[in-house]
Amino acid sequence: MKAGSNLEKVINSGQFAVTGELGPPKSADISALREHGETMRNYVDAFNITDNQTAIVRTSSIGVAGALLQMGLEPVVQMTVRDRNRIALQGDLLGAVAMGVKNVLCLSGDHQMFGNEAAAKGVYDIDSMQLLKAFKDIRDEGKFIGGDDLEAPLSVYLGAVANPFADPFEYRVDRLEKKIAAGASFIQTQCIFDLDRFKRWMELVRERGLHKKVAILGGVTPIKSLGAARYMKNFVSGITIPDELIDRLKGAEKKKEEGLKIAIETIQQLKEIEGVAGVHVMAIAWEEVVPDIVERAGLYPRPKLS
Amino acid sequence: MITAERKPLDEIFEMLKPYRRIAVLGCGTCVTVCMAGGQKEAEELAAAISIQRKKEKQEVSVEAFTIERQCEFEMIDQVAERLKGFDAVLSLACGVGVQTLVEHMPELIVLPGLNTKSMGYPLEQGVWVERCLGCGDCVLHLTQGICPITRCAKSLLNGPCGGSADGKCEIGKDVDCAWHLIHDRLEKLGRLKVMEEIQPPKDWSSSHHGGPRTIVREDVRLESGK
Ligand code: SF4
Ligand code: SF4
């Protein structure tokens, strides 16, 4: 056990894990986010809190994590290397853990040009691999990047992301292996719409036995409308949506219900794939459907472990 | 070479407003090659300034001339006397040339006519690409000659991020993903193993982040220990 978080316990118990996601608002009023947290309470094992997602200024992920902890919900704090150098990132890890955070997800972050501060200086002092390794060394060796010693040990459960839909395809498995070596205990993938490609990636993952070294949670996003699907296909970096899926939505009378069905079917298929340890449900701006998805996918009730 | 682009005319006209006798000083090296600040561009700009002043019914006298390099004191000396006769010098050198002029002749008012862009080379006629950020600790041996610091939009050292698609960078379909290029090159050379190793955080103190850098070579200094 690395940090004894609920997420870690569920994963270690071998049960199919479910994480959700909360996107902080562009204000310090997080009442809607709290409501969404309440809606999903008991339906997910932990909540990812995005870090100025798509480079748009929002309430900080650590700040929101503090609010969730007060509500008795478990956060997964996302940390990108876009906006903070190694001094700030390491300091924020200490701050987050001091506040009670047990899960941290390390990622690169979308380039600042995508957001509402396109004139910002991108930091990228270290990359996501180095961040993961740095946090692992802080935990396991008691050392900061610069070599200085921590004054007291800390525990944290570390995760990373993987995008089987990015290129070069074969490299994506090498990269997963590298992230495991760097310290990832769990992996959340980019939203899966192209199941065939995901299955091919998982085959390569199993060939190398990587699924036994890390818990892979498949990313699932329910599509709310045809417009949303087209937008993601064309404008969101790192996401691929097959044409058949667009056609299926086009042909459907009730688009929202069809979007839900697709998400539920995806989860059911993911459950069947050897080596998939859970799902990460990202229903940003459609949080209220998460309980329905989790229930209909046969993942409710969630395990109660203490 | 250093690449640069001329500033927008309106910005140049605005900064020249207070001055009547203006020298447009071209530079004969990099900025001549990238067609931003050579003799030809200096003459064109001088003509544009004259026309604009005429339109505004403002007096002006503009001369355009060029030296081989504005980043060397000896070459500035060749035109030092002539430059003293102007209210302002619009330098068409890179930012280094502008500053060398000012350091060598502090009595001059020197204004930048160009926006200095990068260290790069002409890929084809009319296209100049950036290739080096002068990080002070070159890693091209690891990546077999493709710079991830400069060419990856996030200066990543451990392979392509999740935004890499079809060989292109997430910032735009007209930008190659540096790490895709590196991956393919390493694969061809049978050196993909390099990408499996975790590259440690870079020591940026050798780059500009360590403050402005000065190279001192005692072995070639004329008066050492000055
Ligand atoms: S590694 Fe540094 S010195 Fe080498 S090409 Fe890139 S920026 Fe320039
Ligand atoms: S897509 Fe490629 S070049 Fe662009 S930021 Fe990611 S790794 Fe760097």
Side-chain angles (χ1 to χ4, degrees):
Chain A
M1 205 62 88
K2 304 284 188 202
S5 69
N6 183 55
L7 176 62
E8 184 178 10
K9 285 179 191 158
V10 172
I11 286 173
N12 287 359
S13 75
Q15 297 175 77
F16 203 75
V18 181
T19 49
E21 187 157 301
L22 295 171
K26 286 194 266 186
S27 77
D29 175 3
I30 59 164
S31 48
L33 181 141
R34 284 178 196 272
E35 265 169 47
H36 294 143
E38 279 306 339
T39 310
M40 287 189 239
R41 188 191 285 271
N42 299 324
Y43 288 88
V44 299
D45 305 320
F47 297 79
N48 277 46
I49 316 290
T50 51
D51 175 12
N52 293 317
Q53 195 176 20
T54 56
I56 289 171
V57 183
R58 299 169 181 282
T59 313
S60 71
S61 66
I62 293 179
V64 169
L68 284 202
L69 287 167
Q70 283 169 358
M71 294 165 67
L73 299 176
E74 181 171 294
V76 177
V77 169
Q78 298 197 178
M79 286 175 89
T80 76
V81 296
R82 178 191 58 226
D83 312 320
R84 283 167 285 184
N85 69 9
R86 65 190 80 179
I87 302 172
L89 288 164
Q90 296 182 100
D92 278 351
L93 173 71
L94 304 190
V97 172
M99 211 168 59
V101 168
K102 291 179 174 164
N103 312 304
V104 172
L105 186 84
C106 301
L107 57 174
S108 308
D110 295 318
H111 194 271
Q112 62 276 8
M113 69 162 289
F114 291 108
N116 60 358
E117 295 289 356
K121 186 172 184 178
V123 177
Y124 304 111
D125 171 23
I126 57 176
D127 61 30
S128 60
M129 199 71 70
Q130 294 160 344
L131 179 68
L132 201 50
K133 175 76 165 48
F135 285 0
K136 175 181 189 273
D137 289 347
I138 283 177
R139 181 190 66 203
D140 298 348
E141 318 291 330
K143 281 200 185 303
F144 293 110
I145 295 176
D148 203 3
D149 293 325
L150 263 79
E151 288 167 358
L154 64 73
S155 29
V156 61
Y157 189 51
L158 295 173
V161 294
N163 186 0
F165 311 103
D167 294 315
F169 179 67
E170 304 74 34
Y171 169 72
R172 294 296 149 186
V173 186
D174 296 348
R175 190 163 173 82
L176 174 69
E177 188 160 18
K178 202 164 164 178
K179 286 195 172 177
I180 297 168
S185 297
F186 67 99
I187 293 286
Q188 290 171 326
T189 77
Q190 180 61 279
C191 318
I192 302 164
F193 296 109
D194 184 348
L195 260 165
D196 291 339
R197 178 152 167 165
F198 183 75
K199 283 178 186 163
R200 269 191 287 138
W201 182 74
M202 280 304 299
E203 257 169 46
L204 298 174
V205 167
R206 283 193 305 270
E207 263 172 32
R208 297 202 205 164
L210 301 180
H211 61 302
K212 296 199 171 122
K213 297 182 184 163
V214 76
I216 297 170
L217 314 191
V220 176
T221 286
I223 303 178
K224 212 174 179 177
S225 66
L226 193 54
R230 286 201 175 120
Y231 179 82
M232 277 195 275
K233 185 178 172 79
N234 298 322
F235 298 108
V236 180
S237 77
I239 291 190
T240 43
I241 302 189
D243 291 330
E244 303 91 79
L245 214 148
I246 303 265
D247 291 342
R248 178 170 165 190
L249 269 175
K250 221 188 274 172
E253 220 167 276
K254 293 182 187 151
K255 310 277 188 230
K256 285 189 177 177
E257 176 53 26
E258 199 64 23
L260 285 185
K261 266 195 200 150
I262 294 171
I264 292 159
E265 286 169 23
T266 307
I267 296 177
Q268 280 160 345
Q269 294 213 42
L270 289 173
K271 279 162 77 179
E272 301 303 316
I273 300 174
E274 189 194 342
V276 174
V279 283
H280 176 49
V281 184
M282 293 166 271
I284 295 292
W286 206 15
E287 291 83 355
E288 62 274 18
V289 296
V290 173
D292 196 26
I293 293 176
V294 173
E295 226 172 328
R296 286 166 64 186
L299 296 169
Y300 185 80
R302 301 304 311 143
K304 289 259 175 279
L305 306 165
S306 54
Chain B
M1 64 181 281
I2 307 270
T3 68
E5 260 180 332
R6 201 201 61 216
K7 279 183 176 287
L9 284 178
D10 287 341
E11 189 184 341
I12 292 177
F13 295 157
E14 185 62 30
M15 68 170 97
L16 288 175
K17 233 182 202 163
Y19 309 105
R20 204 179 56 77
R21 289 172 304 160
I22 298 163
V24 181
L25 185 62
C27 181
T29 308
C30 305
V31 292
T32 294
V33 178
C34 68
M35 300 175 182
Q39 178 64 19
K40 182 169 167 278
E41 290 78 24
E43 284 169 15
E44 285 167 3
L45 191 52
I49 294 166
S50 297
I51 293 168
Q52 183 256 353
R53 290 286 175 103
K54 205 176 263 169
K55 256 198 228 150
E56 310 256 300
K57 299 200 173 26
Q58 304 275 330
E59 245 184 282
V60 76
S61 87
V62 207
E63 283 177 47
F65 49 103
T66 298
I67 54 177
E68 189 56 31
R69 275 198 290 285
Q70 288 185 33
C71 57
E72 278 185 45
F73 291 166
E74 291 76 12
M75 300 201 175
I76 295 171
D77 283 336
Q78 296 164 8
V79 289
E81 278 312 308
R82 191 170 172 191
L83 287 175
K84 283 180 192 158
F86 294 92
D87 301 335
V89 179
L90 182 70
S91 164
L92 294 195
C94 68
V96 180
V98 174
Q99 296 182 71
T100 313
L101 265 177
V102 168
E103 281 185 59
H104 196 48
M105 300 183 67
E107 67 275 25
L108 296 183
I109 297 292
V110 185
L111 305 166
L114 305 185
N115 287 322
T116 305
K117 292 281 169 162
S118 69
M119 285 191 265
Y121 74 97
L123 184 68
E124 57 183 82
Q125 175 79 15
V127 179
W128 292 270
V129 289
E130 177 168 26
R131 287 296 181 261
C132 177
L133 277 170
C135 75
D137 183 14
C138 197
V139 301
L140 288 178
H141 55 297
L142 294 174
T143 55
Q144 291 299 323
I146 299 167
C147 176
I149 311 296
T150 311
R151 297 189 65 183
C152 165
K154 300 175 187 171
S155 293
L156 306 178
L157 281 173
N158 280 290
C161 73
S164 176
D166 300 322
K168 298 299 172 190
C169 173
E170 71 174 26
I171 67 164
K173 295 212 183 330
D174 50 349
V175 182
D176 289 330
C177 168
W179 273 105
H180 196 124
L181 295 174
I182 294 168
H183 176 271
D184 289 357
R185 182 156 165 78
L186 291 175
E187 189 171 42
K188 230 176 254 157
L189 296 172
R191 297 201 182 192
L192 266 184
K193 262 220 118 42
V194 174
M195 280 178 74
E196 286 169 23
E197 293 154 19
I198 299 170
Q199 300 301 331
K202 190 169 171 66
D203 178 355
W204 293 107
S205 69
S206 65
S207 78
H208 175 71
H209 295 280
R213 292 159 287 171
T214 301
I215 300 172
V216 180
R217 287 269 310 270
E218 293 299 346
D219 56 331
V220 290
R221 280 184 102 176
L222 293 179
E223 305 163 58
S224 61
K226 208 169 33 168

